[in-house]
Amino acid sequence: MEHGTGLIQAVIFEAADRNNIGGSAYGGQRSICCTPDLAKLEGCKQGEVIRIPSATEINWPMVLSIQFNGNDLSTQMNNAEVPIKKTGMHNLFFIACDPKLKGTVMSGKTVWKNPDGYLPGRMAPLMTFYVYMAIAYLLLSAIWFSQYMRFWEDILQLQHCIAAVIGLGLFEMILWYLDYSNFNKTGMRPVVTTAWVVTVGAIKKTLSRLLILSVSMGYGVVRPTLGGLTSKVLLIGATYFVASELLDITEHVGTINDVSGRARLFLGLPDAFLDAFLILWIFTSLSKTLEQLQAKRISVKLDIYRKFSNALAVAVIASVAWITYEIYFKATDPFNERWQSAWIITAFWDILSFALLCVICYLWAPSQSSQRYAYSEDVGEEFDDEEAQSLTRGQSNGDVSLVKQEQKNG
């Protein structure tokens, strides 16, 4: 066969050197393959990939050639080991300049390994991050469960829910670390392990949102039950869990690379819509609860809910700002050259969720007066200033939380 006929080339290059692949004749459209005009202008070989040596490494980008022999309909590439000495985002393309090879089917695998293991560079910092997050959840759970066991007889249903979210959060962080650690050591992501991780994460995200919604409705503090709203809350929770589970499974289970933009958008839309709906419902319920407390002049509870609403407003503003930054980050980095800081995009949401959980734990910490405090209005007692002072033992300005009450009583 003639030179270049039946030729497939594997091209390995760093994203920063992407302009070293291909060329343009007479200022026209850029071509990856050497055309007759480019062969005359740049001295490349017609029918092959145009490669311009890097200014820092003459053998880079690297091109490996695979040739079909005679009339063979198949060929095999020998195993090749390519040492990469420079830190960066590297790409591997298989290019066929011969139009006769259009529709060629390729099968096989590539193995990429960093000095510290198989974990991709943009994912590696997350393994360390999950260790710190697990420690943070462990400390929070130690503080919470010490109070939880101390005032076991006075625990509210709301505080049971908070304990469940803390436990799931700790479990999720440990599972993420184990998943990443196994991937780093073996280069494989077992489907079962990753599926467990994303399922626990979806459950935790769902319970977290239902917890915030229930608190906003006054559950456990203003009202003992959600009444007729229980079925609606459970329905939105089940719907959110399904949407979150499908998105996370597609994004993580059995895959390493991000899903394509169109698939990510399609699967992310239901999740984003449900989040927006929940935020609207939460603030609507919170507004009604604040109006109710203000009308009845229940100063201590009103103060707690004002602090909660302020924290929630800060979280929403931070979320919107971060989403805007995330869109800007991805739009201005099409070649993933800022991969070393990409892990922060994922980490932010875990940090924000943990911070909001800490606020809820602070405001609704277990105490010996939890039952009386929570349901004082529901049993028809007058929650006047004198009773507020008796519950808080000397806190006369009404600016107290359940945590402060517990500390004074302890």
Side-chain angles (χ1 to χ4, degrees), residues 99-315:
K100 295 179 182 179
L101 294 179
K102 184 178 180 180
T104 298
V105 177
M106 183 184 70
S107 62
K109 71 174 183 178
T110 62
V111 178
W112 299 74
K113 187 177 182 181
N114 287 310
D116 296 328
Y118 291 98
L119 203 60
R122 61 184 171 185
M123 298 171 67
L126 286 172
M127 187 169 69
T128 305
F129 169 74
Y130 289 131
V131 173
Y132 287 112
M133 285 302 300
I135 293 173
Y137 270 102
L138 189 62
L139 291 174
L140 179 62
S141 62
I143 296 171
W144 177 266
F145 283 103
S146 64
Q147 297 296 98
Y148 190 79
M149 298 304 298
R150 182 181 177 187
F151 302 106
W152 173 256
E153 295 181 355
D154 297 308
I155 293 297
L156 307 174
Q157 287 296 325
L158 174 65
Q159 291 162 337
H160 288 311
C161 296
I162 295 173
V165 173
I166 295 173
L168 283 170
L170 175 60
F171 190 38
E172 181 192 13
M173 294 301 108
I174 293 173
L175 285 179
W176 272 122
Y177 170 76
L178 293 176
D179 180 47
Y180 276 44
S181 179
N182 180 75
F183 183 12
N184 193 48
K185 291 177 181 178
T186 65
M188 305 285 289
R189 291 190 84 179
V191 172
V192 175
T193 303
T194 313
W196 267 107
V197 177
V198 299
T199 300
V200 171
I203 294 173
K204 193 210 78 172
K205 285 193 291 185
T206 302
L207 286 183
S208 297
R209 282 155 177 75
L210 294 186
L211 173 64
I212 294 172
L213 178 60
S214 300
V215 169
S216 300
M217 291 177 173
Y219 174 66
V221 176
V222 176
R223 56 201 296 180
T225 67
L226 294 178
L229 294 173
T230 303
S231 58
K232 294 180 181 179
V233 171
L234 293 176
L235 178 61
I236 191 68
T239 306
Y240 185 86
F241 170 76
V242 172
S244 180
E245 177 79 349
L246 289 175
L247 176 62
D248 290 343
I249 283 179
T250 306
E251 194 169 4
H252 295 285
V253 176
T255 61
I256 297 172
N257 298 324
D258 295 333
V259 290
S260 65
R262 186 175 299 178
R264 180 71 173 80
L265 177 63
F266 176 77
L267 292 167
L269 280 176
D271 201 62
F273 173 78
L274 288 170
D275 265 329
F277 178 78
L278 279 168
I279 290 172
L280 180 62
W281 195 359
I282 286 168
F283 276 99
T284 302
S285 301
L286 194 55
S287 177
K288 292 180 180 178
T289 302
L290 286 170
E291 289 177 1
Q292 180 183 357
L293 293 173
Q294 193 167 12
K296 296 183 178 181
R297 297 182 180 179
I298 308 176
S299 59
V300 179
K301 294 182 181 180
L302 180 61
D303 180 69
I304 290 176
Y305 267 85
R306 280 176 175 167
K307 290 179 179 178
F308 176 65
S309 61
N310 291 338
L312 206 56
V314 170

